[in-house]
Amino acid sequence: MRNIFRPIVRFFHKWPLPETNSVFMEGHMTLLTDNSAILLKTQELCATIAENPDFLQYQSRIEKFLDDDAARAQYKGTHEMGEQLHQKQHAGLELGTAEIKAFEAARDALFDNPVACEFMDAQQALETLRKQITKYVAMTLELGRVPTADDLTESTGGGCCGGGGGGCGCHDGDDAHGHDHEHGDGGGECCGGGGGGCGCH
């Protein structure tokens, strides 16, 4: 089957549809009506995720972290320290040995905190799940069929240093050693990433 979806997407991106409740739009929303097979399967997927024992465990770890003021403060402080080093380096300023060591010490202490460490692993696992589900749906719309393992492998080209998974979000200090990372609230990507977490297991 020819891949006709991508040219169509480009066409409508160039000539966007007006944001109105037109007959055209209403006719194409039948895919998402209350009793449509697509919506029912989507709800079934969501229920399966919500009832999954691993998911429930990850949720429990995240809630435990959010209830721990000390762990949250430690995580926030370490993250902000890493962000400062990241911004300083990208501004072309030289990083001092003392501030690098201070960050590394704070990061190591964070990794030694089981509540924070389990939170980072849980956050990474859920982000990886989200990305994988999004990829499946996006490729199905693009290819017009269920993507195979080969399709998914060929589409994998993102991530830092060729990795496919997110990091713990606190490796910001590695920038001091010449690595460019994406920084977020615990969902950043780090070198060597293919599913490695904070290393607390």
Side-chain angles (χ1 to χ4, degrees):
M1 175 182 289
R2 292 181 56 196
N3 185 355
I4 62 172
F5 183 76
R6 188 168 304 189
I8 292 176
V9 168
R10 286 200 297 266
F11 174 81
F12 283 112
H13 178 73
K14 183 177 181 181
W15 301 103
L17 293 170
E19 296 182 3
T20 60
N21 294 323
S22 64
V23 175
F24 176 84
M25 292 299 293
E26 290 176 357
H28 286 73
M29 288 302 291
T30 55
L31 289 172
L32 297 176
T33 56
D34 290 342
N35 295 319
S36 70
I38 292 177
L39 186 58
L40 291 176
K41 286 296 183 180
T42 301
Q43 293 172 340
E44 182 180 338
L45 171 62
C46 292
T48 300
I49 293 173
E51 296 169 1
N52 183 274
D54 289 335
F55 174 79
L56 294 174
Q57 185 180 53
Y58 291 138
Q59 287 290 93
S60 177
R61 291 177 178 180
I62 291 174
E63 291 174 1
K64 184 177 181 180
F65 169 81
L66 295 177
D67 290 337
D68 191 323
D69 292 340
R72 288 169 54 197
Q74 184 182 15
Y75 177 89
K76 180 180 179 181
T78 305
H79 177 75
E80 290 177 348
M81 190 181 299
E83 280 292 314
Q84 291 173 2
L85 294 181
H86 175 76
Q87 293 172 8
K88 185 175 180 179
Q89 186 188 38
H90 280 265
L93 302 176
E94 183 178 355
L95 302 181
T97 302
E99 58 186 345
I100 294 174
K101 288 185 177 180
F103 169 77
E104 290 176 341
R107 183 183 59 185
D108 291 343
L110 182 65
F111 289 164
D112 287 337
N113 184 331
V115 174
C117 200
E118 288 183 353
F119 161 74
M120 291 185 285
D121 275 350
Q123 192 176 45
Q124 176 190 328
L126 296 183
E127 176 64 11
T128 299
L129 175 64
R130 184 192 67 80
K131 288 181 178 179
Q132 192 70 1
I133 291 174
T134 300
K135 180 185 290 187
Y136 263 103
V137 174
M139 292 199 69
T140 298
L141 295 176
E142 180 177 333
L143 300 174
R145 58 174 171 77
V146 177
T148 65
D150 289 340
D151 293 328
L152 295 171
T153 299
E154 290 174 3
S155 72
T156 302
C160 174
C161 303
C168 69
C170 285
H171 293 287
D172 309 68
D174 288 346
D175 290 333
H177 304 293
H179 301 304
D180 291 331
H181 300 159
E182 294 296 327
H183 303 280
D185 294 333
E189 296 176 346
C190 64
C191 290
C198 68
C200 58
H201 297 307

